[in-house]
Short mmCIF file of all heavy atoms in Angstrom, two decimals:
data_model
loop_
_atom_site.label_atom_id
_atom_site.label_comp_id
_atom_site.label_asym_id
_atom_site.label_seq_id
_atom_site.Cartn_x
_atom_site.Cartn_y
_atom_site.Cartn_z
N VAL A 700 63.33 3.22 -161.66
CA VAL A 700 62.46 4.35 -161.79
C VAL A 700 60.98 4.18 -161.35
O VAL A 700 60.28 5.11 -161.19
CB VAL A 700 62.58 4.81 -163.27
CG1 VAL A 700 64.05 5.15 -163.68
CG2 VAL A 700 61.86 3.92 -164.24
N LEU A 701 60.60 2.83 -161.36
CA LEU A 701 59.15 2.57 -161.01
C LEU A 701 59.04 3.09 -159.62
O LEU A 701 57.84 3.26 -159.15
CB LEU A 701 59.01 1.07 -160.99
CG LEU A 701 59.04 0.47 -162.49
CD1 LEU A 701 58.95 -1.16 -162.31
CD2 LEU A 701 57.76 0.94 -163.28
N SER A 702 60.02 3.21 -158.79
CA SER A 702 59.83 3.54 -157.34
C SER A 702 59.50 5.06 -157.19
O SER A 702 59.21 5.51 -156.07
CB SER A 702 61.13 3.23 -156.61
OG SER A 702 62.24 4.13 -157.00
N VAL A 703 59.62 5.87 -158.34
CA VAL A 703 59.35 7.33 -158.10
C VAL A 703 58.34 7.84 -159.10
O VAL A 703 57.94 9.06 -159.09
CB VAL A 703 60.69 8.12 -158.33
CG1 VAL A 703 61.79 7.56 -157.30
CG2 VAL A 703 61.29 7.97 -159.70
N LEU A 704 57.86 7.11 -160.04
CA LEU A 704 57.20 7.60 -161.21
C LEU A 704 55.92 8.37 -160.86
O LEU A 704 55.60 9.30 -161.63
CB LEU A 704 56.85 6.49 -162.27
CG LEU A 704 57.97 6.02 -163.03
CD1 LEU A 704 57.50 4.96 -164.12
CD2 LEU A 704 58.67 7.07 -163.83
N LYS A 705 55.20 8.11 -159.83
CA LYS A 705 54.04 8.70 -159.51
C LYS A 705 54.18 10.01 -158.63
O LYS A 705 53.12 10.62 -158.21
CB LYS A 705 53.00 7.82 -158.92
CG LYS A 705 52.55 6.76 -159.96
CD LYS A 705 51.25 5.99 -159.48
CE LYS A 705 50.79 5.06 -160.62
NZ LYS A 705 49.40 4.48 -160.24
N THR A 706 55.42 10.32 -158.42
CA THR A 706 55.71 11.64 -157.73
C THR A 706 55.20 12.75 -158.59
O THR A 706 55.78 12.84 -159.73
CB THR A 706 57.07 11.71 -157.21
OG1 THR A 706 57.52 10.47 -156.63
CG2 THR A 706 57.31 12.90 -156.30
N GLY A 707 54.55 13.73 -158.02
CA GLY A 707 54.07 14.81 -158.92
C GLY A 707 55.21 15.88 -159.18
O GLY A 707 56.30 15.90 -158.55
N ALA A 708 55.03 16.63 -160.28
CA ALA A 708 55.89 17.69 -160.65
C ALA A 708 55.73 18.86 -159.58
O ALA A 708 54.66 19.15 -159.10
CB ALA A 708 55.65 18.17 -162.05
N VAL A 709 56.83 19.61 -159.26
CA VAL A 709 58.28 19.45 -159.69
C VAL A 709 58.96 18.53 -158.63
O VAL A 709 58.80 18.79 -157.48
CB VAL A 709 58.89 20.81 -159.89
CG1 VAL A 709 60.33 20.61 -160.23
CG2 VAL A 709 58.10 21.57 -160.94
N CYS A 710 59.73 17.58 -159.14
CA CYS A 710 60.49 16.78 -158.19
C CYS A 710 61.76 16.26 -158.96
O CYS A 710 61.83 16.41 -160.10
CB CYS A 710 59.72 15.58 -157.73
SG CYS A 710 59.23 14.44 -159.15
N ALA A 711 62.67 15.80 -158.13
CA ALA A 711 63.96 15.34 -158.68
C ALA A 711 64.49 14.26 -157.81
O ALA A 711 64.40 14.25 -156.53
CB ALA A 711 65.06 16.42 -158.86
N PHE A 712 65.29 13.27 -158.43
CA PHE A 712 65.86 12.16 -157.69
C PHE A 712 67.25 11.85 -158.21
O PHE A 712 67.46 11.94 -159.39
CB PHE A 712 64.98 10.91 -157.88
CG PHE A 712 63.57 11.05 -157.23
CD1 PHE A 712 62.55 11.61 -158.05
CD2 PHE A 712 63.33 10.74 -155.88
CE1 PHE A 712 61.31 11.80 -157.58
CE2 PHE A 712 62.03 10.94 -155.44
CZ PHE A 712 61.07 11.40 -156.24
N SER A 713 68.09 11.54 -157.30
CA SER A 713 69.41 10.97 -157.78
C SER A 713 69.77 9.72 -157.17
O SER A 713 69.14 9.31 -156.05
CB SER A 713 70.51 12.09 -157.35
OG SER A 713 70.51 12.17 -155.89
N LYS A 714 70.62 8.91 -157.80
CA LYS A 714 70.92 7.52 -157.25
C LYS A 714 71.90 7.59 -156.20
O LYS A 714 72.94 8.20 -156.33
CB LYS A 714 71.35 6.78 -158.53
CG LYS A 714 71.46 5.17 -158.34
CD LYS A 714 70.05 4.61 -158.33
CE LYS A 714 69.43 4.48 -159.68
NZ LYS A 714 69.89 3.62 -160.80
N ASN A 715 71.58 6.95 -155.09
CA ASN A 715 72.57 6.85 -154.04
C ASN A 715 73.45 5.57 -154.14
O ASN A 715 73.50 4.94 -155.09
CB ASN A 715 71.86 6.83 -152.65
CG ASN A 715 71.09 5.62 -152.43
OD1 ASN A 715 71.13 4.56 -153.12
ND2 ASN A 715 70.16 5.58 -151.37
N ALA A 716 74.34 5.47 -153.10
CA ALA A 716 75.34 4.38 -153.20
C ALA A 716 74.80 3.07 -153.26
O ALA A 716 75.34 2.08 -153.71
CB ALA A 716 76.39 4.55 -152.09
N GLU A 717 73.50 2.83 -152.71
CA GLU A 717 72.89 1.62 -152.64
C GLU A 717 72.05 1.36 -154.00
O GLU A 717 71.41 0.35 -154.17
CB GLU A 717 71.89 1.57 -151.49
CG GLU A 717 72.55 1.26 -150.19
CD GLU A 717 73.24 2.62 -149.68
OE1 GLU A 717 72.66 3.65 -149.83
OE2 GLU A 717 74.43 2.48 -149.23
N GLY A 718 72.04 2.36 -154.95
CA GLY A 718 71.43 2.15 -156.15
C GLY A 718 69.92 2.54 -156.10
O GLY A 718 69.19 2.15 -157.00
N ARG A 719 69.53 3.28 -155.07
CA ARG A 719 68.18 3.68 -154.98
C ARG A 719 68.08 5.20 -155.34
O ARG A 719 68.91 6.00 -155.04
CB ARG A 719 67.66 3.48 -153.54
CG ARG A 719 67.80 2.05 -153.01
CD ARG A 719 67.16 1.07 -153.88
NE ARG A 719 65.75 1.31 -154.09
CZ ARG A 719 64.74 0.91 -153.26
NH1 ARG A 719 65.08 0.17 -152.16
NH2 ARG A 719 63.45 1.20 -153.49
N LEU A 720 66.97 5.53 -155.95
CA LEU A 720 66.67 6.86 -156.24
C LEU A 720 66.11 7.63 -155.08
O LEU A 720 65.11 7.14 -154.49
CB LEU A 720 65.65 6.99 -157.43
CG LEU A 720 66.27 6.65 -158.81
CD1 LEU A 720 65.14 6.50 -159.87
CD2 LEU A 720 67.33 7.67 -159.34
N VAL A 721 66.74 8.69 -154.58
CA VAL A 721 66.35 9.34 -153.45
C VAL A 721 66.14 10.83 -153.70
O VAL A 721 66.64 11.39 -154.65
CB VAL A 721 67.38 9.25 -152.30
CG1 VAL A 721 67.57 7.83 -151.87
CG2 VAL A 721 68.75 9.87 -152.80
N PRO A 722 65.11 11.48 -153.12
CA PRO A 722 64.78 12.90 -153.44
C PRO A 722 66.00 13.80 -153.29
O PRO A 722 66.95 13.67 -152.49
CB PRO A 722 63.75 13.34 -152.29
CG PRO A 722 63.16 11.90 -151.79
CD PRO A 722 64.37 10.96 -151.92
N THR A 723 66.08 14.81 -154.22
CA THR A 723 67.18 15.79 -154.22
C THR A 723 66.56 17.11 -154.63
O THR A 723 65.61 17.14 -155.43
CB THR A 723 68.29 15.31 -155.14
OG1 THR A 723 69.40 16.21 -155.02
CG2 THR A 723 67.79 15.29 -156.71
#
């Protein structure tokens, strides 16, 4: 989650097959 925390609202992320959170 540290990889996305400073993204401003509104945003969303889902975990991909490699275990990384990617924009959705």
